[in-house]
């Protein structure tokens, strides 16, 4: 019982601390505006408001760029920032444990990310649904849920980096590199691997990629996220980047969900493991 | 006041030592069989079960290395209930490392640390339950106000929020109640740090350089608070390099040098061990050879020095009165008298030499 109170207190402190920063509000507004813009003006197929499914399809690549960097920026200083500033020694002198501190920070920052995504896309969803007739709420909710998961995945990665590095500045470097690796380099590396393996351009265009390609993709949470959305939201698979997608048989929503959850738990554990071995 | 009580699990007969404050109700889970029960500590201060004489902080063979070099090298000491213990040492001697080890902020390489009988590694929460801590570098959450900050710590310590406002007032920070910590001066932050340390009336107070960044009024305020807490029975551990501050408040001191504890005792005892003696300065209207000779004859006088109208006499503590009588009997007209007890400074310098 006591434990829950302590974790809740730490989580609450994180939320108040970050709301004071005001950037959560700004990011919520950016999410809402992006969704509205994507829905109203983003389509090359037709004019005017698009339905939610199409909006998701247009937004997916933008979200893949934005949500990871936001989560990384929110989390990379959570532990090392406090250690460097000096408030960590006071926090740890309280009747609490390092596990509770990591969990408190995860729940606090996780709530911020989740709420930001929920409010931003939620408002946009309501506005869009008032303007279009054919509304598929389920698809949109799956999209929001998956986006929250990818946010949490990058948050726990950021928390791990925050515990791994001994300086705030290097942790930030690590966060930026992670973003670069998963968002930018990954695609290049995968293309390189495909070319090296002798895959033909025709094959790539027709969407028939080898199974090993899809297997490696599972190690990138962003690919997992985009697969999860594609597997569940109709219009996405039809239009994504203009290529038809045919996933291998082992690709399923359950697998994608499981990978994202394992990722979150794994990095949360690694963060705790590193933190419990560090000197404050 | 902490009570220790040995209880027996009614289920598996496993015995367990539990600790708490008088009147406290705690839920106990047997570590062996998982049986749960509730225990209420006796409320009466005279209850024989209240132990007054066991070490509150126990450091045994502590060693801490940073990148291979020993910051603290195999030190052991105990701090008893109700004691003010001064921890001295030059910069970089290992004072802060020792404190951080006691609180479990760093991973120690060897040794054992107990607070209130609880191992800081195995029972971190219980060990830290009654501890108030003022770190060397006082820091808060800069985006939050003074009150929001203290409220957070109160919540974590399970202390009523009403105490926060009161403490902010006591530390002369009422005007800054709703000011963000980012806008606080160093002295204000230090005072709020002291308020945070004594939040919830901790029975153990660990202060690392409490006067750092304080103005003279702040220093007096902090000193008064230390005595107030001592009178309430708190055990206080103060690390400092300001020796006069330590000498003014501490019952016992420990001196650390290059990671090694070189001395641990009362200032008086340490002076005795070093054979440090008081110095009497007698000012006379006229100094004669007879007076000097009379003083020289007193047993226990070590050294006499004459400077104009002053005689400086270094002698045993017990000989002081005899010296004065000798001066007067020899016809000396004493204008002024000044005695100087061996200072902690001398003790400190001698122990940390080379």
């Amino acid at each position: 019982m006591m434990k829950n109170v302590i974790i809740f207190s730490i989580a609450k402190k994180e939320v108040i601390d970050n709301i004071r920063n005001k950037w959560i509000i700004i990011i919520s507004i950016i999410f809402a505006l992006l969704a509205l813009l994507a829905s109203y003006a983003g389509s090359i197929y037709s004019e005017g408001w698009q339905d939610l499914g199409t909006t998701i399809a247009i937004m997916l690549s933008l979200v893949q760029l934005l949500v990871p960097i936001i989560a990384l920026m929110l989390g990379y200083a959570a532990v090392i920032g406090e250690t460097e500033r000096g408030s960590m020694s006071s926090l740890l002198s309280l009747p609490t444990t390092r596990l509770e501190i990591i969990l408190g920070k995860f729940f606090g920052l996780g709530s911020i990310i989740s709420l930001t995504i929920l409010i931003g896309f939620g408002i946009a969803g309501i506005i869009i649904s008032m303007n279009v007739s054919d509304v598929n709420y389920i698809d949109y909710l799956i999209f929001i849920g998956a986006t929250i998961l990818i946010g949490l995945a990058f948050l726990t990665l950021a928390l791990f980096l925050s515990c791994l590095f001994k300086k705030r500045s290097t942790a930030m470097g690590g966060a930026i590199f992670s973003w670069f690796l998963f968002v930018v380099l990954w695609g290049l590396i995968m293309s390189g691997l495909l070319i090296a393996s002798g895959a033909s351009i025709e094959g790539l265009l027709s969407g028939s990629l080898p199974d090993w390609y899809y297997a490696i993709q599972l190690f990138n949470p962003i690919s997992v996220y985009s697969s999860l959305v594609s597997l569940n939201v109709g219009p996405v698979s039809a239009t994504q980047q203009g290529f038809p997608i045919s996933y291998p048989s082992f690709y399923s929503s359950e697998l994608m969900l499981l990978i994202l959850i394992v990722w979150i738990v794994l990095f949360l554990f690694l963060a705790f493991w590193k933190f419990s071995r560090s000197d404050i | 006041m902490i009570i220790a009580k040995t209880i027996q699990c009614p289920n598996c007969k496993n015995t367990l030592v539990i600790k708490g404050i008088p009147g406290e109700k705690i839920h106990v889970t047997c570590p062996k069989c998982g049986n749960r029960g509730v225990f209420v500590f006796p409320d009466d201060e005279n209850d024989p079960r209240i132990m007054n004489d066991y070490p509150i902080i126990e450091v045994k063979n502590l060693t801490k290395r940073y990148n291979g070099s020993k910051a603290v090298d195999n030190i052991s000491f105990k701090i008893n209930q109700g004691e003010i213990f001064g921890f001295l040492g030059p910069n970089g001697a290992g004072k802060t490392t020792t404190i951080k080890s006691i609180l479990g902020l760093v991973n120690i390489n060897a040794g054992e640390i107990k607070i209130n009988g609880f191992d800081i590694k195995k029972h971190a929460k219980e060990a830290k339950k009654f501890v108030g801590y003022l770190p060397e570098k006082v820091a808060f959450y800069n985006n939050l106000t003074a009150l929001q900050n203290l409220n957070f710590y109160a919540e974590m310590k399970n202390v009523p929020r009403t105490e926060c406002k009161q403490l902010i007032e006591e530390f002369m920070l009422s005007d800054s109640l709703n000011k963000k910590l980012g806008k606080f001066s160093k002295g204000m932050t230090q005072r709020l740090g002291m308020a945070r340390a004594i939040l919830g009336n901790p029975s153990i107070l660990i202060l690392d350089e409490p006067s750092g960044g304080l103005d003279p009024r702040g220093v007096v305020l902090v000193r008064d608070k230390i005595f107030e807490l001592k009178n309430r029975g708190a055990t206080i551990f103060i690390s400092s390099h300001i020796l006069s501050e330590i000498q003014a408040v501490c019952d016992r001191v420990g001196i650390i040098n290059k990671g090694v504890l070189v001395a641990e005792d009362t200032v008086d005892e340490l002076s005795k061990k070093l054979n440090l003696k008081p110095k009497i300065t007698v000012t006379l209207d006229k100094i004669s050879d007879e007076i000097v000779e009379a003083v020289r004859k007193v047993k226990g006088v070590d050294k006499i020095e004459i400077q104009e109208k002053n005689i400086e006499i270094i002698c045993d503590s017990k000989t002081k009165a005899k010296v004065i009588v000798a001066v007067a009997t020899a016809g000396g007209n004493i204008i002024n008298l000044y005695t100087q007890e061996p200072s902690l400074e001398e003790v400190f310098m001698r122990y940390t030499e080379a």
Side-chain angles (χ1 to χ4, degrees):
Chain A
M1 208 43 220
M2 231 7 240
K3 194 174 197 163
N4 297 339
V5 174
I6 295 265
I7 294 174
F8 178 73
S9 299
I10 297 172
K12 195 174 72 181
K13 198 279 301 168
E14 289 294 326
V15 174
I16 300 172
D17 205 356
N18 278 287
I19 284 177
R20 282 260 174 158
N21 270 336
K22 292 192 176 79
W23 72 284
I24 297 169
I25 301 157
I26 295 167
I27 291 164
S28 295
I29 294 169
I30 289 174
F31 279 155
L33 285 179
L34 277 178
L36 291 173
L37 206 68
S39 176
Y40 189 71
S43 177
I44 49 166
Y45 304 109
S46 53
E47 280 175 25
W49 290 98
Q50 304 299 311
D51 66 32
L52 286 172
T54 313
T55 306
I56 295 167
I58 298 161
M59 285 213 52
L60 197 56
S61 48
L62 265 175
V63 169
Q64 287 175 30
L65 290 176
L66 272 179
V67 172
I69 194 78
I70 288 166
L72 285 165
M73 288 303 114
L74 195 62
Y76 83 89
V79 176
I80 189 62
E82 270 211 42
T83 307
E84 212 169 272
R85 226 180 35 241
S87 54
M88 186 59 87
S89 38
S90 293
L91 181 57
L92 255 177
S93 78
L94 300 168
T96 180
T97 60
R98 296 195 187 209
L99 179 64
E100 286 175 350
I101 291 174
I102 289 290
L103 287 178
K105 285 187 179 285
F106 169 69
F107 286 125
L109 297 173
S111 313
I112 292 169
I113 289 196
S114 308
L115 281 176
T116 310
I117 292 169
L118 207 60
I119 294 169
F121 289 148
I123 291 172
I126 292 166
I127 296 173
I128 295 165
S129 66
M130 287 190 303
N131 287 289
V132 295
S133 49
D134 185 24
V135 182
N136 190 341
Y137 291 107
I138 303 295
D139 280 5
Y140 198 63
L141 283 177
I142 289 171
F143 167 68
I144 290 179
T147 307
I148 287 174
L149 277 181
I150 189 69
L152 295 181
F154 275 88
L155 174 66
T156 56
L157 173 65
L159 283 175
F160 168 63
L161 295 172
S162 197
C163 297
L164 180 68
F165 290 103
K166 290 186 170 63
K167 271 181 164 177
R168 188 194 166 104
S169 51
T170 43
M172 184 159 107
I176 292 170
F177 175 78
S178 306
W179 181 82
F180 204 68
L181 171 70
F182 288 117
V183 175
V184 183
L185 284 182
W186 193 274
L188 293 174
I189 294 168
M190 294 309 286
S191 308
L193 284 175
L194 278 177
I195 290 162
S197 74
S200 67
I201 301 294
E202 293 77 29
L204 298 184
L205 286 176
S206 69
S208 62
L209 293 163
D211 277 4
W212 62 259
Y213 172 87
Y214 284 105
I216 294 175
Q217 286 286 53
L218 296 177
F219 288 94
N220 184 342
I222 297 174
S223 319
V224 176
Y225 160 75
S226 114
S227 305
L228 180 63
V229 176
S230 302
L231 284 165
N232 288 284
V233 181
V236 179
S237 41
T239 58
Q240 196 186 39
Q241 287 150 10
F243 295 112
I245 299 171
S246 55
Y247 287 127
S249 53
F250 62 88
Y251 261 45
S252 67
S253 301
E254 291 80 9
L255 179 70
M256 301 303 144
L257 261 178
L258 183 74
I259 289 173
L260 287 177
I261 290 165
V262 167
W263 173 287
I264 291 167
V265 174
L266 178 72
F267 276 97
L268 200 54
F269 172 77
L270 286 175
F272 163 68
W273 178 73
K274 262 296 172 206
F275 184 45
S276 59
R277 267 152 193 78
S278 66
D279 291 338
I280 305 307
Chain B
M1 198 66 77
I2 312 281
I3 313 167
K5 176 98 176 80
T6 307
I7 52 166
Q8 193 177 42
C9 173
N11 191 26
C12 67
K13 307 293 174 207
N14 176 37
T15 55
L16 184 70
V17 180
I18 54 170
K19 285 172 184 120
I21 50 171
E24 195 194 358
K25 184 175 158 188
I26 68 163
H27 294 267
V28 191
T29 309
C30 176
K32 229 177 177 180
C33 67
N35 188 29
R36 285 158 192 270
V38 176
F39 184 82
V40 182
F41 285 95
D43 215 350
D44 182 8
E45 274 186 37
N46 299 318
D47 192 293
R49 281 173 293 190
I50 298 179
M51 292 161 70
N52 287 321
D53 216 28
Y54 71 95
I56 293 288
I57 297 175
E58 210 179 340
V59 175
K60 225 190 260 174
N61 306 111
L62 165 68
T63 297
K64 171 65 191 169
R65 276 181 229 108
Y66 285 116
N67 301 322
S69 69
K70 282 177 180 171
V72 172
D73 188 2
N74 194 29
I75 71 170
S76 303
F77 61 91
K78 284 175 184 175
I79 304 172
N80 296 318
Q81 168 121 32
E83 191 174 41
I84 303 190
F85 186 82
F87 198 48
L88 306 168
N91 291 334
K95 296 189 300 275
T96 297
T97 303
T98 306
I99 290 178
K100 285 183 168 183
S101 305
I102 291 173
L103 288 164
L105 301 184
V106 296
N107 292 288
I108 59 175
N109 297 97
E112 197 185 15
I113 285 150
K114 279 181 180 170
I115 305 179
N116 254 335
F118 289 109
D119 190 290
I120 189 67
K121 265 192 209 160
K122 290 172 203 146
H123 305 283
K125 277 190 146 187
E126 291 85 350
K128 293 188 283 187
K129 198 169 175 191
F130 303 107
V131 175
Y133 169 51
L134 176 78
E136 183 188 29
K137 187 179 161 195
V138 178
F140 286 89
Y141 300 107
N142 288 342
N143 285 327
L144 306 185
T145 66
L147 189 61
Q148 281 175 321
N149 264 290
L150 279 201
N151 278 342
F152 167 64
Y153 294 105
E155 223 172 275
M156 295 288 287
K157 280 184 160 181
N158 202 14
V159 169
R161 282 181 165 210
T162 45
E163 232 186 76
C164 301
K165 242 184 177 160
Q166 207 180 317
L167 273 173
I168 289 173
E169 257 166 49
E170 278 180 47
F171 281 90
M172 307 181 297
L173 294 165
S174 301
D175 298 342
S176 314
L177 197 70
N178 295 313
K179 201 173 182 177
K180 280 190 187 183
L181 254 291
K183 288 178 180 156
F184 265 46
S185 73
K186 189 161 189 312
M188 286 160 76
T189 311
Q190 186 78 12
R191 269 183 276 155
L192 194 67
M194 191 64 193
R196 170 175 65 189
I198 66 173
L199 188 66
N201 276 323
S203 59
I204 304 155
L205 202 57
I206 297 177
L207 310 172
D208 197 352
E209 302 284 356
S211 340
L214 282 182
D215 58 10
R217 274 182 73 191
V219 172
V220 173
L221 195 68
V222 166
R223 188 180 303 170
D224 289 350
K225 273 284 158 202
I226 290 172
F227 280 123
E228 197 185 310
L229 275 142
K230 182 190 162 65
N231 290 337
R232 277 189 224 157
T235 307
I236 305 167
F237 181 104
I238 306 175
S239 139
S240 179
H241 62 259
I242 302 170
L243 302 172
S244 56
E245 176 180 281
I246 293 283
Q247 197 161 17
V249 300
C250 291
D251 300 318
R252 226 153 47 85
V253 297
I255 299 175
I256 185 171
N257 191 28
K258 292 176 183 163
V260 180
L261 195 69
V262 287
E264 184 202 352
D265 216 324
T266 61
V267 177
D268 281 354
E269 281 302 314
L270 290 178
S271 312
K272 263 190 209 161
K273 275 183 203 163
L274 289 175
N275 209 18
L276 293 178
K277 292 178 175 177
K279 186 165 88 179
I280 312 170
T281 308
V282 186
T283 310
L284 300 170
D285 60 350
K286 200 181 146 213
I287 298 176
S288 67
D289 289 346
E290 292 105 69
I291 297 170
V292 176
E293 202 45 46
V295 173
R296 207 182 297 279
K297 279 179 185 159
V298 178
K299 237 188 176 181
V301 170
D302 268 22
K303 207 174 157 193
I304 301 172
E305 237 173 77
I306 297 167
Q307 283 178 349
E308 291 176 41
K309 288 180 176 177
N310 294 339
I311 311 179
E312 288 182 356
I313 305 140
I314 293 172
C315 64
D316 290 342
S317 220
K318 290 171 200 156
T319 324
K320 279 186 288 187
K322 283 180 195 159
V323 169
I324 308 302
V325 172
V327 172
T329 336
N333 188 10
I334 300 172
I335 294 168
N336 200 359
L337 187 66
Y338 174 71
T339 67
Q340 211 179 343
E341 292 302 319
S343 70
L344 185 55
E345 197 172 282
E346 280 180 81
V347 173
F348 180 78
M349 294 309 263
R350 290 280 284 274
Y351 273 112
T352 55
E353 265 165 13

